């Protein structure tokens, strides 16, 4: 009778264990459930876990982030970002240089691009440095040594932001009133100075007031490195542009602006004037390209 009772108890215990396994239950002290499944010798390996969700790439949002940053930087000046300039042509449309560099006021192209040039250097607004740091508009600076000498570092900072330093004579005279020697002093002397101060001789020359003659062209060709004499189609004033002809921009137009401040701009700052110009360019469906990329 005792034997039968022990057998009955054993059967009951076995039933409880089987039931526990079948229902997936386990006691709070059962550590086996926490251990990894090991490979059974001479048996099939357990199925590997499914692939983990792909980690988000740290660089996946860089284009969007860059665009957002450009929008934010432009908004700081109440502007929208300029459209990127197209890739310059492999063959430059203006073949410059020679004993008489060509005189140009626009670049032959059918693309909706214009070129921004800034003259003299009288105004040295620190906020304009900040603006160019944010916007990175490609500009060509035609500087007089008279103004460069006042603060050469200001224009060096703009050069570091991508602006080129070009020749606008030493002292801004009307070249048509000067003989060959005096013109050579003004033009070649400024090329020498720019090369010394900024580490690169200018490749472009703009005559003050746009006044030049055959002597100017010959002398510019003797200065070494000048590829073209650059005039303009439009001139930026305070709030609007003066147009050479039809009152609108055309593909390849060269625009003239100046380093000027409130005393010359009736209370308007350099950054406000420059912002007005960019809005005029964008409103007509244009963007700004680098002039030097189009002159050989």
């Amino acid at each position: 009778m005792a034997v039968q009772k022990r057998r009955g108890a054993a059967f009951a215990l076995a039933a409880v264990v089987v039931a526990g396994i079948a229902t997936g239950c386990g006691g709070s002290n059962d550590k086996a459930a926490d251990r990894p499944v090991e490979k059974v010798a001479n048996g099939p390996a357990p199925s590997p876990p499914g692939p983990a969700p792909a980690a988000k790439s740290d660089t996946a949002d860089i284009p969007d982030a860059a665009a957002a940053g450009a929008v934010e930087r432009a908004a700081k000046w109440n502007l929208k970002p300029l459209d990127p300039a197209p890739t310059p042509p492999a063959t430059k449309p203006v073949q410059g240089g020679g004993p008489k560099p060509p005189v140009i006021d626009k670049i032959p192209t059918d693309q909706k691009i214009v070129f921004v040039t800034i003259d003299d250097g009288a105004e040295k607004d620190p906020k304009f440095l900040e603006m160019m740091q944010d916007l990175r508009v490609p500009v060509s600076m035609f500087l007089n040594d008279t103004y460069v000498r006042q603060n050469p570092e200001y224009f060096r900072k703009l050069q570091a932001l991508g602006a080129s330093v070009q020749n606008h004579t030493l002292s801004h005279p009307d070249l048509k009133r000067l003989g060959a020697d005096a013109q050579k002093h003004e033009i070649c002397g400024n090329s020498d100075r720019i090369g010394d101060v900024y580490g690169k001789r200018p490749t472009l020359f703009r005559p003050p007031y746009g006044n030049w003659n055959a002597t100017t062209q010959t002398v510019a060709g003797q200065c070494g490195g000048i590829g073209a004499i650059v005039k303009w189609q439009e001139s930026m004033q305070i709030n609007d542009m003066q147009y050479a002809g039809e009152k609108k921009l055309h593909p390849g137009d060269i625009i003239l602006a100046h380093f000027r401040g409130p005393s010359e701009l009736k209370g308007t700052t350099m950054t406000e004037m420059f912002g007005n110009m960019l809005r005029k360019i964008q409103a007509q469906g244009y963007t700004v390209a680098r002039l030097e990329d189009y002159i050989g």
Side-chain angles (χ1 to χ4, degrees):
M1 187 69 172
V3 173
Q4 290 177 345
K5 287 181 178 181
R6 286 196 296 272
R7 287 177 179 172
F11 289 145
L13 178 59
V16 171
V17 173
V18 170
I21 294 172
T23 59
C25 299
S28 60
N29 295 324
D30 184 2
K31 302 298 182 183
D34 298 330
R35 291 197 297 269
V37 177
E38 297 179 356
K39 182 177 179 180
V40 179
N42 300 321
S47 300
K56 191 173 183 179
S57 169
D58 291 338
T59 61
D61 291 334
I62 282 181
D64 290 342
V71 170
E72 182 179 355
R73 290 189 297 273
K76 176 177 163 184
W77 306 97
N78 297 317
L79 294 165
K80 295 179 181 179
L82 286 167
D83 289 336
T87 301
T91 301
K92 296 186 178 183
V94 175
Q95 295 300 307
K100 291 189 175 183
V103 180
I104 62 170
D105 55 17
K106 66 184 303 173
I107 297 294
T109 180
D110 57 1
Q111 295 179 313
K112 296 200 76 173
I113 54 174
V114 293
F115 304 92
V116 173
T117 63
I118 315 178
D119 278 15
D120 299 345
E123 178 69 16
K124 302 170 183 66
D125 185 351
K127 294 294 287 183
F128 185 66
L129 290 176
E130 185 180 341
M131 187 182 206
M132 293 299 288
Q133 172 74 44
D134 287 337
L135 303 182
R136 300 298 177 104
V137 180
V139 301
S140 304
M141 304 183 294
F142 288 85
L143 303 179
N144 304 125
D145 187 56
T146 300
Y147 297 124
V148 168
R149 285 179 181 275
Q150 296 171 355
N151 186 355
E153 186 60 26
Y154 181 83
F155 303 106
R156 188 173 289 113
K157 290 176 180 177
L158 288 171
Q159 184 186 32
L161 295 174
S164 71
V165 183
Q166 305 296 353
N167 190 334
H168 197 38
T169 72
L170 289 170
S171 63
H172 207 274
D174 182 349
L175 295 176
K176 291 173 71 173
R177 297 175 177 269
L178 301 181
D181 289 344
Q183 288 202 36
K184 187 170 185 178
H185 170 72
E186 287 286 341
I187 302 171
C188 299
N190 201 36
S191 282
D192 293 341
R193 276 282 296 158
I194 289 172
D196 290 342
V197 175
Y198 296 106
K200 183 179 180 182
R201 293 180 67 83
T203 59
L204 304 175
F205 169 66
R206 170 168 284 154
Y209 316 107
N211 291 344
W212 65 281
N213 54 25
T215 300
T216 308
Q217 204 173 9
T218 300
V219 168
Q222 296 170 350
C223 290
I226 292 179
I229 296 172
V230 180
K231 297 185 67 177
W232 59 90
Q233 281 289 314
E234 290 82 26
S235 173
M236 184 63 200
Q237 303 303 307
I238 298 173
N239 298 305
D240 211 342
M241 293 184 188
Q242 289 183 347
Y243 296 86
E246 190 178 8
K247 291 190 175 182
K248 68 177 185 178
L249 297 172
H250 299 84
D253 279 0
I254 296 171
I255 300 173
L256 166 67
H258 290 84
F259 285 97
R260 288 177 177 163
S263 60
E264 296 88 10
L265 300 175
K266 299 182 180 179
T268 301
T269 65
M270 174 79 184
T271 57
E272 288 170 335
M273 179 275 293
F274 198 80
N276 291 338
M277 178 178 62
L278 294 182
R279 278 185 281 273
K280 295 292 181 184
I281 291 170
Q282 289 177 307
Q284 297 185 51
Y286 286 79
T287 193
V288 180
R290 188 179 307 280
L291 182 59
E292 291 77 9
D293 290 342
Y294 290 76
I295 302 174

